[in-house]
Amino acid sequence: MYSVTVLLIWISDHYGIESDGIHSVTAFCTLRVTIITDDMLTNSITVRLENMSQEKFLSPLLALFVEGVATVLSTTKEGIFVFNIQNDTDVSSNILNVTFSALLPGGIRNKFFPSEDLQEQIYLNRTLLTLISTQRVLPFDDNICLREPCENYMKCVSVLKFDSSAPFISSNTVLFRPIHPINGLRCRCPPGFTGDYCETEIDLCYSNPCGNNGLCRSREGGYTCECHEDFTVLDTW
């Protein structure tokens, strides 16, 4: 389901088309519309850029940032979707929060990097990203899971949800309309458990994984197979 539309407008000058006999000039703009889906929000992360403003980021650093992220993730620049740039209000220094998602490489249609993998790749390759984008990415500190809200050994995952469209932000060459997502969380059950609070253990023997000559015994997070009498495990090499 679509959540919001982000409008990115690049405006640049081109000379040599219209003329008054002395001077000639033509200005044109490119309108790029990106549909932001719930899947993109769920699989997005927010990075913090040091000594950065909204206007400076839009021109000329937006393109460099997208190129750097694409290089780090080994994906295409068209697969990087920046949908929010927002000044960090929790600190006094000039820090810009940039939220984006990214498509997996290899031409997999509409499959995004999970937020955990995306954050890990960006963090581990911050040096390379800085070299390409000329912007320093600070350590992540937006983890809403630090207070450990999940019970029963569930894994807490920070996610974003759509809040509202924000006013346009402009620079000399770019007009950008961001969205302002809000932080949320999702609790994932450990392997072998399900339910609202992961209180139900999944019987992994239901599909008869051991075959007709084996006895399946369910255990926490998995199962084991025991052979019936006169049968043994066949190893294949």
Side-chain angles (χ1 to χ4, degrees):
M1 178 156 182
Y2 292 155
S3 299
V4 70
T5 300
V6 179
L7 306 180
L8 302 182
I9 302 176
W10 280 267
I11 301 175
S12 58
D13 292 330
H14 178 74
Y15 298 93
I17 298 180
E18 298 294 336
S19 175
D20 61 1
I22 301 176
H23 306 92
S24 60
V25 61
T26 293
F28 64 90
C29 71
T30 301
L31 174 64
R32 179 176 299 175
V33 180
T34 303
I35 304 299
I36 305 300
T37 65
D38 290 332
D39 194 27
M40 295 168 69
L41 286 169
T42 300
N43 294 289
S44 64
I45 63 170
T46 299
V47 297
R48 304 163 65 237
L49 303 182
E50 186 180 42
N51 295 325
M52 188 60 57
S53 65
Q54 293 174 327
E55 293 75 15
K56 182 179 178 181
F57 177 77
L58 288 177
S59 300
L61 298 179
L62 173 59
L64 289 176
F65 178 81
V66 170
E67 180 182 354
V69 172
T71 301
V72 165
L73 300 177
S74 300
T75 190
T76 63
K77 292 186 290 184
E78 293 74 20
I80 308 300
F81 304 97
V82 177
F83 52 84
N84 186 40
I85 57 174
Q86 191 173 0
N87 293 323
D88 194 321
T89 59
D90 296 331
V91 294
S92 57
S93 57
N94 201 14
I95 292 177
L96 187 68
N97 292 332
V98 179
T99 306
F100 66 93
S101 58
L103 287 173
L104 289 167
I108 304 176
R109 183 174 177 83
N110 295 331
K111 294 293 184 180
F112 294 91
F113 279 92
S115 55
E116 305 98 303
D117 296 344
L118 191 57
Q119 181 169 309
E120 180 181 12
Q121 290 296 321
I122 294 298
Y123 183 80
L124 293 177
N125 295 281
R126 285 186 300 153
T127 301
L128 176 60
L129 179 56
T130 299
L131 288 174
I132 299 174
S133 68
T134 68
Q135 299 156 80
R136 182 168 180 262
V137 178
L138 299 174
F140 294 92
D141 73 344
D142 60 341
N143 193 349
I144 197 173
C145 294
L146 291 176
R147 54 187 175 88
E148 299 181 354
C150 297
E151 301 176 351
N152 296 337
Y153 303 103
M154 290 186 284
K155 181 180 180 181
C156 178
V157 180
S158 178
V159 297
L160 293 180
K161 296 181 179 180
F162 170 68
D163 182 15
S164 62
S165 296
F168 280 93
I169 303 170
S170 63
S171 67
N172 291 333
T173 58
V174 176
L175 182 62
F176 181 92
R177 186 174 189 181
I179 64 171
H180 282 174
I182 55 176
N183 286 320
L185 62 88
R186 181 173 66 249
C187 295
R188 291 181 179 173
C189 294
F193 291 86
T194 187
D196 293 338
Y197 301 97
C198 302
E199 72 282 359
T200 303
E201 186 173 358
I202 300 174
D203 182 9
L204 296 178
C205 291
Y206 76 96
S207 61
N208 192 26
C210 300
N212 295 328
N213 299 319
L215 176 64
C216 180
R217 296 191 182 277
S218 182
R219 61 181 177 83
E220 183 175 330
Y223 63 88
T224 57
C225 293
E226 297 179 4
C227 296
H228 292 306
E229 187 176 356
D230 297 329
F231 290 89
T232 185
V233 176
L234 177 64
D235 292 328
T236 57
W237 299 90

